[in-house]
Amino acid sequence: MPTVEVADLTDGDFLLDVREDDEWQAGHAEGALHIPISEFVARYGELTEAAPQDGKVHVICRSGGRSAQVATYLVQQGLDAVNVAGGMQVWAAAGRPVLDDKGAPGFVL
């Protein structure tokens, strides 16, 4: 499974958050696309519309397990996808901004 470290991500990278709604509402990375893993197959078209045509999809969850599953699926579908190692826990620990669903400072649930 292709993996990328949080420290290697830049502001322009496309980020797909596959955590559930309550986790997203508590705190997420600004600009990330949110499609919960429980709805992923049904909402797959939203990803293909939003993802950059020739860009990489960086998949993130809380700690890296669910995002690894989705990244594997995306690679099987022919997309350039990688798992973000350590997920939002490492994102927050690295001091990256975490916002709640109202745009205020959030936290990783």
Side-chain angles (χ1 to χ4, degrees):
M1 163 51 36
T3 306
V4 66
E5 301 295 324
V6 167
D8 295 329
L9 293 173
T10 65
D11 288 341
D13 288 334
F14 183 82
L15 195 61
L16 170 65
D17 190 323
V18 297
R19 296 174 303 143
E20 296 303 321
D21 288 337
D22 59 336
E23 295 172 289
W24 170 265
Q25 291 166 358
H28 57 270
E30 184 175 13
L33 173 65
H34 178 231
I35 303 176
I37 193 170
S38 62
E39 302 171 12
F40 189 76
V41 174
R43 295 177 58 190
Y44 179 74
E46 292 177 42
L47 170 65
T48 58
E49 288 179 16
Q53 288 294 339
D54 294 322
K56 191 177 301 283
V57 176
H58 301 83
V59 189
I60 196 165
C61 66
R62 182 174 185 265
S63 61
R66 292 171 285 180
S67 53
Q69 293 174 25
V70 171
T72 298
Y73 174 79
L74 293 176
V75 168
Q76 291 169 347
Q77 302 308 308
L79 277 86
D80 185 5
V82 294
N83 184 35
V84 178
M88 286 299 296
Q89 289 179 320
V90 171
W91 179 277
R96 296 279 186 117
V98 177
L99 303 175
D100 68 13
D101 61 340
K102 300 193 180 359
F107 62 94
V108 178
L109 183 62

